[in-house]
Every structure is written in C-alpha cells, then in structure tokens.
Amino acid sequence: MNLSLYGYGTPAKKDWIAVDCGVAFAGPELPGIDLVMPDPSFIEGEKKRLRALIITHAHEDHIGAVADLWPRLGCPIYLTPFAAAMLETKRLSEAGAPKIPIRVIRPGERIELGPFAFEMISVAHSIPESTALAITSPLGTVVHTGDWKIDPTPVLGEKTDEGRFRALGDAGVLAMIGDSTNAIREGSSPSEANVALELEKIIAAAKGRVAVTTFASNVGRIRAVAEAAMRADRQVVLVGRAMERVITIAREQGMLEGIPPFVSAESYGYLPRDKVVAVLTGSQGEPRAALARVANDDHPEVTLAPGDTVVFSSRTIPGNEKAVGAIVNGLVKQGVQIITDRDALVHVSGHPRRGEMEQMYNWVRPQIAVPVHGEPYHMAEHAALAKRMGVKEVILANDGDMIRLAPGEPDVVDTLPAARLFKDGYLLIEEASRVVPERRKLSFAGIVSVAIAMDERGVVVGDIQMDMAGVPEQDAMGDDLADLVEETVLDCVEGLPKARRRDPDAVAESVTRAIRGTLNARWGKKPMCHVLVVTV
Ligand SMILES: [Zn+2]
Ligand SMILES: [Zn+2]
C-alpha cells in the first residue's frame, strides 16, 4: 500500500503533495479484515497545505484507498483518463461514496502547484497508462518512478519514455525514488509481445476449450489473448465482474480497437469447444472468483472437461499459494491440462529486473537514490545496485521516515507515525484497536458466556444462564464441559467471602478466572469469557 508525501518549506510551514493512496490485501492473520491502508493522520493534520494527490497508475496498491481516505485529505486528485475511469467506476459501485474533485491529465503536461511543478512520464507496466513522475521544487527535481519496467514492445500503450528520462538526467536530477520489487532478479524482463506469441501458440494448438486467467486490470494481456483467439477463429467470453468493469473502460477508451466484441458468458455453453476462449478472474485463488467456481464445478455457465486447457497468465502472489494450489488440483481432477509460467512464457512481471534498473540509473543519474516498493530484502538489493551505479547517496528508509533530500546532506530527519487502518465491513478501524486481537483469540479458543442474577445480599437468584461457542463438548474422560463449567461457576460463587459476593465486578472476575482454570485443566486451553452479573 503506497502513500508518499513530498514537502517543501520550513519545518513550521510546508507545502505538500501526496503520491498514490493504495491498499494491501489482508491475510488470515487479520481475521475478518478485507483491506489494509495507510493511516493518513499526519497529512490530515497538514491538509490545508496539501496541494494534490497524484495517482501514478490504477493498481489497487496505488489507488485502492482513495475512496476511503479522500474525505480526510480533501485535495484535488490528478490522474490519467484510465485511472480516473477506474476510480469513478469503483466510486459508483459503492453506496454513499464521496464525489471527488478529479483532474484528468496526460504524460507531458506540466502542472504547477505552489512551489511545486510536476509532470507524468509514460512507463511500461502491467496496467494501462502507468506513469512515473518528475516533481520539481526550487531545490531540484525528484523522479518518482512508480511501478515500471522497460518493454521495447508492449502489447498496449506507451513504452517507457527513455527520451524524457534522459532529458531529465541531462538537466540534473536531485533524487530518484524507485521501485524495488524485482531488484533480486538478474537480467531484463521478457516483453509482453513474447508472452502474446506464446499465448497465440497455445491457443492455436489447443483442441478443446481454452480458459486463460489473469489479473483483471491487465488490459494488454487480455488484448493479447483476444488477438490470439481471433487468429484461431475462436470467440472470447469474459467471466468475472472485475474483468467486465475494466474491459468496459478499456473499450470506451479505445484500447481494444480491432478486437471484435466479446460474447456473453451465457453463450459459452453453445459454442463448439474449439471455438471459444474464456478469460477469467481468480488467478490468485480468490474463492468467489470465476476460476474457483469453475474448479469446484459450480459455475452456472462455464464448465471444463477432459482435454480442455487452463492457462495461468499470472504469478501467484506470495501468501496465495495454497488457494491457487487448491484450484489447480480441482482442475486437474476434472482432467484439464494446466499451463503456468513454469511451463511456458505465459506471464511476465510488470516490474524492472536489475538490468532495467541499471538502464534507468544510466538515464536519470540522480544524486540520491531512495529504494521503495518492496520488502526490506528487495530494497537492500536495490540500494546496493544504486551504489554500484555510482549514485552518491543512497538512503534506505522505513515506513514513516521523513527524508531531507535538500538543502544540505540528505538524511532521515524524523520519523512520523505510520500506522495502518483496517477496512472492516463498512468501517475503518485503527490498527491498535482491540477488534482484531479479540477475533484471533475467539478463533483460537472460542468463548464462554455466563449470566448470574444475585440479590443484594449476594445470593444467587434463579438458574445460572450459560452459553459456549467454539468449545468442545466433552473432555478426554467423556465429561460434559458445559456441566463442568456450570459446577465451577456455582462452587466459585458459593466459596466467595460475603463482602466480595456483594460486588458484581469482583464476582465476575473470580468466576472468569475459575472457568478459565477449569477448562485449562481439562482441555489445555483458555477461552474468552464473558461473565455478566446482574443484581436484582
Ligand atoms: Zn502497479
Ligand atoms: Zn505497486
């Protein structure tokens, strides 16, 4: 999840621009949480002088938090036509989403914002209209690479604008803030055009149906599949809402010129098996996406059979291996042939390998390099590469670090709070809140709830009410754990000194401790315990 801030001015009075505002996807360590995003509290406190939020491209890790966080920033947002359409489509799909002041711009336009000026520079990546930024202030020019790679023959959109980067380098660049994702990989990425050729070969050779799964936003890849299908005289069926949304935008913006209209999922079953290519969402094993449903044989329209082929034109993002593995196994059981990037060149990353990073350093020749966008290992490798390329100052920073680029010696000068926010249903909750740790405890050992009514003398009135969830019914000896808990509660209350019995909080505390002790002895685990003592 990306959110960068550039400031200019004295410590007491700075003008700011923000770059990107993205999300990360929560894993099983955050039960019930959909998305994670940066906590914008710091810049929220400075929002009066926040001049703009610039979005480099429409990937979720760069744009996904805009709808949730913009109300706290309140500034205009600068982005390309494709990113603007993606944001707008998402906004319209969420009830009550704010109307956001959008400024659509294109690479090469120069925008002045107080002491800053900036321009977008086209870069190749894995989504249309990806950009790097050149941001100038009276103290120099900063190149913020965004996500990029060098691809001499992209299937769609502009190449990385070597000429512009070289010109900036000639004029002098103070600092480059750059993508580290593939800094541990030698050489240069293959081109999207090579992937397109490989996909074409696979589709041309296939006897049965072909299904290709890829990232919904990779319009270039979907275009390559569509071209291959066209040449093999096959129709394309799009399956998955996320993909339909992106493709609608891509069509409107002329990115699919020359490609015949896609047919609806309902017609899939009526097409001869050698006349169809399905393009599906779900390459990361998402359980509700189209591919998972096909693998489980419960998709209403799309089925596969022995002799059909599924191409994973994607990379499994770390953490998703199990989910993807389950889908692959489900498909193999149906007799489907699987092709992944281990078998053929059916996917390339959108990020630069070392060879491409070296070229970029040769073009831009910054005085300072700041590796970003990667794990610590990737950023350290990027730092070493920048040093080898002769960059004078390389600054490795952590989330929240404030770096002085100029004037004077560049350095980390301050650390700001850089907490995260969690999207929980409709709500944004703070990382420090009790919600997630409580959920984790609940998932580990369940909960026991007890209600006790007592009169003012501290005598139990009526029956004790009790309920348990996530607790086994019996212990190893076959004793009923609910009965044991109930006995424990009665024994505990009766054993309490009279004075303590008249204090509901004290009773609740003792009963909680007793229940957890009993269950720990019989079960080896201590569940959460809610004891409610009511005085009647
Ligand atoms: Zn990206
Ligand atoms: Zn990214």
Side-chain angles (χ1 to χ4, degrees):
M1 50 176 171
N2 296 281
L3 173 57
S4 310
L5 297 170
Y6 291 92
Y8 176 85
T10 62
K13 187 174 181 296
K14 279 195 187 72
D15 283 276
W16 296 97
I17 50 181
V19 176
D20 289 334
C21 187
V23 294
F25 296 95
E29 78 285 0
L30 297 174
I33 301 299
D34 304 317
L35 297 170
V36 182
M37 56 191 79
D39 185 337
S41 296
F42 168 77
I43 192 63
E44 194 179 1
E46 305 262 314
K47 70 193 264 187
K48 262 194 238 140
R49 287 190 304 278
L50 176 61
R51 301 269 184 172
L53 166 62
I54 308 165
I55 303 294
T56 59
H57 65 291
H59 273 151
E60 288 293 304
D61 60 322
H62 298 260
I63 200 173
V66 169
D68 282 309
L69 298 186
W70 180 83
R72 296 170 61 169
L73 305 177
C75 61
I77 301 183
Y78 291 81
L79 67 190
T80 68
F82 180 78
M86 291 282 281
L87 185 64
E88 190 63 1
T89 309
K90 197 169 158 213
R91 193 183 69 79
L92 295 175
S93 73
E94 282 174 24
K99 179 95 186 93
I100 294 170
I102 279 174
R103 312 267 192 276
V104 175
I105 57 169
R106 286 180 175 76
E109 271 177 60
R110 186 184 155 88
I111 310 291
E112 313 238 352
L113 298 163
F116 301 106
F118 83 92
E119 68 172 276
M120 289 177 160
I121 306 158
S122 291
V123 290
H125 185 42
S126 45
I127 189 169
E129 296 180 354
S130 292
T131 66
L133 305 174
I135 302 169
T136 35
S137 80
L139 287 170
T141 298
V142 171
V143 170
H144 181 105
T145 68
D147 295 0
W148 65 281
K149 67 172 174 178
I150 295 174
D151 187 341
T153 50
V155 168
L156 183 73
E158 300 295 317
K159 284 189 273 194
T160 296
D161 190 347
E162 176 179 348
R164 190 64 197 128
F165 284 112
R166 280 184 185 279
L168 286 163
D170 291 344
V173 168
L174 174 66
M176 182 155 77
I177 285 64
D179 185 353
S180 310
T181 310
N182 280 345
I184 59 172
R185 300 186 71 176
E186 287 295 346
S188 294
S189 316
S191 169
E192 277 292 332
N194 296 84
V195 175
L197 275 178
E198 194 65 39
L199 289 168
E200 187 171 348
K201 261 195 258 167
I202 291 167
I203 291 171
K207 301 269 183 288
R209 295 176 175 126
V210 181
V212 181
T213 182
T214 189
F215 301 99
S217 60
N218 196 336
V219 179
R221 192 68 57 76
I222 296 169
R223 185 181 168 105
V225 173
E227 283 177 358
M230 194 164 72
R231 289 194 195 109
D233 192 25
R234 287 175 181 248
Q235 307 251 43
V236 174
V237 175
L238 276 194
V239 197
R241 230 171 314 145
M243 210 167 260
E244 284 165 20
R245 267 204 299 264
V246 176
I247 290 305
T248 304
I249 295 169
R251 284 245 184 240
E252 281 168 9
Q253 303 203 352
M255 291 170 184
L256 293 174
E257 245 153 57
I259 304 287
F262 298 152
V263 296
S264 69
E266 293 90 65
S267 27
Y268 173 90
Y270 301 101
L271 292 164
R273 289 179 60 200
D274 61 349
K275 289 281 174 273
V276 62
V277 174
V279 186
L280 297 93
T281 53
S283 65
Q284 298 307 308
E286 303 92 325
R288 279 164 304 190
L291 186 63
R293 300 187 63 190
V294 173
N296 290 329
D297 206 10
D298 73 351
H299 195 280
E301 280 120 9
V302 180
T303 54
L304 294 170
D308 293 344
T309 306
V310 171
V311 182
F312 281 79
S313 188
S314 57
R315 177 189 73 112
T316 303
I317 293 168
N320 296 340
E321 295 88 351
K322 257 189 156 168
V324 173
I327 285 177
V328 168
N329 286 326
L331 293 167
V332 168
K333 273 197 228 161
Q334 295 180 26
V336 170
Q337 188 203 354
I338 306 288
I339 299 175
T340 72
D341 63 348
R342 285 190 301 273
D343 309 305
L345 184 63
V346 291
H347 177 69
V348 285
S349 163
H351 300 274
R353 297 187 189 175
R354 285 184 194 175
E356 294 155 84
M357 294 169 74
E358 285 166 8
Q359 283 194 54
M360 183 63 92
Y361 277 105
N362 280 330
W363 298 342
V364 177
R365 292 152 280 152
Q367 295 168 42
I368 306 165
V370 183
V372 294
H373 204 290
E375 293 168 27
Y377 176 36
H378 306 140
M379 295 199 283
E381 287 291 323
H382 181 169
L385 180 142
K387 283 202 187 112
R388 282 202 302 278
M389 293 306 293
V391 179
K392 270 201 291 239
E393 302 275 353
V394 179
I395 300 180
L396 267 177
N398 295 308
D399 288 346
D401 284 351
M402 184 189 278
I403 300 166
R404 180 182 59 218
L405 297 173
E409 275 293 293
D411 204 359
V412 174
V413 292
D414 199 359
T415 300
L416 310 170
R420 305 180 298 168
L421 296 176
F422 299 150
K423 184 88 188 259
D424 185 31
Y426 301 137
L427 306 178
L428 276 186
I429 60 174
E430 291 189 2
E431 184 174 18
S433 103
R434 298 178 339 205
V435 174
V436 172
E438 278 177 359
R439 263 181 219 162
R440 236 183 266 130
K441 271 189 213 153
L442 279 170
S443 71
F444 178 71
I447 183 165
V448 177
S449 308
V450 176
I452 309 168
M454 299 185 103
D455 65 17
E456 69 250 20
R457 291 166 302 155
V459 178
V460 175
V461 180
D463 291 339
I464 286 168
Q465 300 293 314
M466 201 193 78
D467 206 353
M468 309 200 296
V471 177
E473 286 178 17
Q474 295 177 340
D475 71 359
M477 270 102 72
D479 290 337
D480 190 290
L481 287 180
D483 291 349
L484 272 170
V485 168
E486 204 166 340
E487 276 166 40
T488 302
V489 175
L490 285 171
D491 289 352
C492 172
V493 175
E494 272 162 29
L496 287 177
K498 263 208 173 121
R500 194 168 168 86
R501 253 197 266 171
R502 286 196 208 102
D503 175 357
D505 289 342
V507 174
E509 196 196 312
S510 297
V511 169
T512 298
R513 216 180 299 137
I515 294 172
R516 285 161 58 91
T518 296
L519 284 173
N520 192 35
R522 298 296 189 113
W523 177 26
K525 287 180 147 191
K526 294 178 182 173
M528 261 175 107
C529 223
H530 286 172
V531 178
L532 195 68
V533 179
V534 194
T535 343
V536 292

